[in-house]
Structure formats: structure tokens, C-alpha cells
Amino acid sequence: MIPNEKIELFDNALLKVLDANNALWGLQAPALCMFTREFGFAPAAAESVQRLEYLTGKGMVQEVPKTLNKANRAWKITEAGRRYLDEQGY
């Protein structure tokens, strides 16, 4: 579980990982969990999905629409997310 005082840092880590991944199909929660370990986090997939849904609501990430196997959700960063990272100096 990520402490409340580190949630913003975790959100930034998710955005950085998604920014580094330019694939059209985005990244799934297990991959994001693995890559955010580089930033010192060890989230559960459900925690990551919760934060990704929050960031989706803010317009910083978007869920990639899938035709097949919709259970394997994936996300990618939006221009608003990239702009936020630039404004924050990341």
C-alpha cells in the first residue's frame, strides 16, 4: 500500500513510465507495477489501476480501447499528461 503522502509521487512515476513508452497499445497494470519499481514503489496491480483511473479522470492518461480481450486493460499518456510532466520539470 502506498502512503497518502507519496500518492502524488506515484502518479508522477506512472506518468513517467507511460511517457517513456510510445507504443500505440499502451501498458497494462502489471507492466506498470514492474516499471514503477525503478522509482521505489512496489504497488499491487489494483492500486495502479485505481491511480490510472484517477489520472484518466484528470485527462492525463487514457485507456486504450480494445476490441478483443477487454479484461486486459492498458493505458497510455495523453498530451495533457506530457504537458504536466514538462511543467513540473520532469
Side-chain angles (χ1 to χ4, degrees), residues 24-64:
L24 294 174
W25 50 86
L27 286 173
Q28 296 177 348
L32 286 162
C33 291
M34 182 183 69
F35 290 128
T36 55
R37 289 179 190 271
E38 292 181 32
F39 297 94
F41 295 98
E47 255 181 317
S48 294
V49 168
Q50 180 184 9
R51 297 312 303 166
L52 289 161
E53 288 172 346
Y54 168 80
L55 292 169
T56 298
K58 295 292 183 184
M60 293 184 188
V61 302
Q62 70 180 35
E63 190 168 354
V64 178

Side-chain angles (χ1 to χ4, degrees), residues 58-75:
K58 295 292 183 184
M60 293 184 188
V61 302
Q62 70 180 35
E63 190 168 354
V64 178
K66 293 197 164 206
T67 305
L68 299 174
N69 206 358
K70 294 180 182 182
N72 293 328
R73 299 170 72 186
W75 290 266

Side-chain angles (χ1 to χ4, degrees), residues 3-42:
N4 285 337
E5 62 272 5
K6 294 191 177 185
I7 291 292
E8 185 176 350
L9 294 173
F10 180 59
D11 290 350
N12 290 340
L14 287 169
L15 289 170
K16 288 179 195 177
V17 169
L18 289 170
D19 187 42
N21 176 51
N22 256 349
L24 294 174
W25 50 86
L27 286 173
Q28 296 177 348
L32 286 162
C33 291
M34 182 183 69
F35 290 128
T36 55
R37 289 179 190 271
E38 292 181 32
F39 297 94
F41 295 98

Side-chain angles (χ1 to χ4, degrees), residues 77-89:
I77 194 167
T78 63
E79 284 304 314
R82 285 192 174 94
R83 197 168 36 254
Y84 169 79
L85 288 176
D86 287 344
E87 289 169 0
Q88 298 301 312

